[in-house]
Amino acid sequence: VTRDEKEEQAIRRGEYRGHNFPDFVERWDRTTFRAVGYALSATTTFLAVVPVAVHHYHRLDEMTTTTMMISAWPSFLPAVFVGGLTALYWKVGIENVTQREHAILRNYPVIGNIRYVLETIRPEVRQYLVESDTDGRPVDRLSRSLVYSRSKGCDDTLPFGTRRDVYAPGYEWACHSMYPRRAVPDEYDYDEYDHDRGGTRGRRATIGTAEFGTTRPYSASLLNVSAMSYGAISDNAILALSAGARMGRFYHNTGEGGVSASHKEGGGDLVWNVGTGYFGCGTTSSDGGRVFDEDLFRETLSESPTVRMIEIKLSQGAKPGHGGILPRSKITPEIASARKLPYPPLVDCHSPPGHSAFSDHVGLIEFAARLREASGGLPVGIKLCVGDPRDVAGLVRAMVEVGSGPDFVTVDGGEGGTGAAPPEYSDSVGLPLEEGLVVVRNLLTGAGIRDKVRIVASGGVTNGFSLVRTIALGADVACAARAFMLSLGCIQALKCNTNRCPTGIATQDRELQYGLDPEEKSHRVYNFHRKTMDAAAEIVGTIGHDRFSDVSDMTNGRPRAVPLAASDIMRRITEGEVKTLEDYLPSVEPESLLRGCGPRNLQEIWDGTATGAKRSAIRWIY
């Protein structure tokens, strides 16, 4: 009789249990639990009685019972150990059987706890023992290791060749030139402009449009720290990021939690993120809503001289269109000060889904102009995760008609990170960064105002190539949050929403914050930025360009020089198909939408916005 035949016979008799651990667990029940408990109790009694009997038999006439017990105490250690184990076994088992929340524990007392132990340690086991160098999420091991090496100033070279599968769909690479050029020079002088080309040279981009009323344009690094709110990350983390930004001359976005004391102490350039809660520039109305207060806005600016730009947050990639509530019990004096809330708080702090200061495109443009004037001419932009592209088309069309608008648009992707978000929003709401960036790029270009509005791409940058790729797709400036958190020492423990971040970054626990030394970590932030920019500049030179893209370098809407472009980056679509990013995500001709000759799908979006037509099921990205 073969083995298969034996198994079939066992199955017919109802005796087949399988050969792995889960099938063994199925044999465990409350009766088995009690039987094992009785056996442990009997064993404990036996181990306690045997030493007494042995000593009593051998030395009965030589000592008293008390003396005998004292001399025999080492023999009772097994009984003590097994007795403690037995007591714990009964305690856990009885609690499991009597509790009502978990069916597994009621049916499989004691042993059912193994499941919850394994669930608890699963992320660590996967990260350190299971995952490969390239399949970690949201940041893979290779990328994390590169950030760690560069931030610490260690050797960041790769031995023995790439670990990437160069024939897998999605693999990307830069098209190098036979005649490479010198890497783009590092120029930090804010006032040094290339007047022949009309823009800041080197590794910076000028943000601010005089036609929109901006009188204090800002020269931004091509890589900056993306929005992370005070409260979501710790005081020490913010201090380290701000100090690193000061050393490297790049900006640090405050996030919508307001401008905190740590932001100011670090001394780095700040982009003040004004969200729907108007923290630092708003008050609470009688109905509990948040309303903008221009006097508070001016007050915060006067207290924060390092604020260089204002960003109106419409949505973020991790949870677009989702508000939040900070219970008053969690509002500390520091949070109240940063958000300009009364302390002690009388009500919960609300961050609604939408703004109360405006409700349409024209209202948004007017609000941006109001902030620009109140700030003394600082650049004012917006941040959004693209949802319905018709909304973006409507805003761009309103900008064309009004003749004003935001100085920059920060595009966040649906894959963006946050401290805590509903899984449905993180997983299934909002366009990914690549598609959102292309939508904004093509709409601004097709409307003829791309030379007036800078595009900031938020997220996805962990190395020089990802920065080059982002700029090639149409961004003028890039920001990163997770990469800079990794430079601070983040180990991707995925505990951001528990207040138990082991590295002291995403926590308000003072004991955990102690582990993060702001002075040491600020140098790591600076090192990561500098080495990433150096690597990106070298790639640009290798491709054959002497500078990054600069959209201010245009005449009549057309570039006067050949900038870094999407055609410089290749992507493997399938095993036998390769395209440039320009072929995969085509750009449009300047003003083509105004003339009615843009790509069919994009033109339908533009025209549909103009006529108020209903949303149609067309391929609208390009």
Side-chain angles (χ1 to χ4, degrees), residues 51-73 75:
V52 176
V54 171
H55 280 74
H56 180 77
Y57 177 78
H58 288 289
R59 310 180 69 180
L60 178 62
D61 299 330
E62 301 178 10
M63 61 184 70
T64 64
T65 302
T66 302
T67 305
M68 179 184 67
M69 295 291 288
I70 293 175
S71 65
W73 72 266
S75 303

Side-chain angles (χ1 to χ4, degrees), residues 145-445:
S145 297
L146 181 60
V147 175
Y148 296 149
S149 298
R150 287 181 170 169
S151 61
K152 295 176 183 177
C154 300
D155 180 15
D156 60 354
T157 57
L158 184 67
F160 218 61
T162 182
R163 274 59 160 173
R164 309 284 183 183
D165 183 356
V166 299
Y167 296 103
Y171 176 74
E172 296 175 332
W173 65 94
C175 301
H176 67 280
S177 172
M178 291 179 63
Y179 309 102
R181 300 190 179 187
R182 183 173 62 90
V184 179
D186 186 1
E187 298 179 10
Y188 283 149
D189 189 346
Y190 276 53
D191 300 320
E192 186 171 0
Y193 295 92
D194 185 341
H195 295 285
D196 292 333
R197 290 181 173 177
T200 306
R201 292 185 291 175
R203 308 178 185 181
R204 308 189 73 83
T206 306
I207 302 178
T209 306
E211 293 180 31
F212 293 169
T214 300
T215 58
R216 297 161 61 187
Y218 175 64
S219 176
S221 170
L222 300 186
L223 177 61
N224 305 275
V225 182
S226 192
M228 290 181 279
S229 298
Y230 174 65
I233 60 176
S234 66
D235 300 71
N236 287 353
I238 288 178
L239 180 57
L241 290 170
S242 182
R246 174 180 52 80
M247 289 187 283
R249 294 288 187 91
F250 52 96
Y251 73 69
H252 177 199
N253 193 305
T254 66
E256 71 170 316
V259 183
S260 70
S262 297
H263 284 109
K264 302 172 189 175
E265 183 181 351
D269 291 346
L270 299 176
V271 173
W272 182 11
N273 184 297
V274 177
T276 58
Y278 303 112
F279 299 131
C281 59
T283 57
T284 303
S285 62
S286 57
D287 61 357
R290 296 286 296 173
V291 294
F292 177 72
D293 187 317
E294 188 170 322
D295 291 334
L296 279 179
F297 178 79
R298 294 176 183 270
E299 179 183 319
T300 298
L301 280 177
S302 66
E303 298 170 351
S304 312
T306 56
V307 171
R308 307 299 183 190
M309 297 193 293
I310 311 296
E311 181 180 80
I312 304 169
K313 175 191 169 185
L314 302 179
S315 59
Q316 68 182 95
K319 47 182 178 180
H322 187 275
I325 297 177
L326 180 65
R328 60 179 179 177
S329 60
K330 293 186 177 181
I331 300 177
T332 64
E334 294 80 10
I335 291 177
S337 175
R339 301 189 179 196
K340 292 210 173 338
L341 301 173
Y343 192 85
L346 302 177
V347 296
D348 296 335
C349 180
H350 290 259
S351 182
H355 282 263
S356 61
F358 54 87
S359 58
D360 56 25
H361 301 316
V362 175
L364 171 58
I365 295 172
E366 292 174 346
F367 184 65
R370 181 182 177 187
L371 296 187
R372 189 180 291 115
E373 181 180 2
S375 66
L378 290 179
V380 177
I382 62 173
K383 175 183 179 179
L384 79 162
C385 174
V386 177
D388 186 349
R390 296 178 186 278
D391 289 340
V392 182
L395 174 61
V396 173
R397 188 176 186 85
M399 292 169 62
V400 173
E401 294 173 350
V402 174
S404 182
D407 296 285
F408 64 94
V409 177
T410 299
V411 183
D412 202 2
E415 69 273 35
T418 184
E424 293 85 355
Y425 278 80
S426 287
D427 294 340
S428 308
V429 179
L431 261 69
L433 176 60
E434 184 177 281
E435 283 80 4
L437 175 59
V438 170
V439 166
V440 173
R441 177 198 72 187
N442 286 353
L443 285 171
L444 290 173
T445 302

Side-chain angles (χ1 to χ4, degrees), residues 78-91:
V80 172
F81 175 77
V82 176
L85 184 63
T86 301
L88 180 62
Y89 176 87
W90 280 111
K91 178 181 182 299

Side-chain angles (χ1 to χ4, degrees), residues 102-105 112-121:
H102 305 289
I104 291 293
L105 297 182
N113 288 280
I114 296 175
R115 173 184 183 273
Y116 298 98
V117 172
L118 294 176
E119 274 197 342
T120 301
I121 65 174

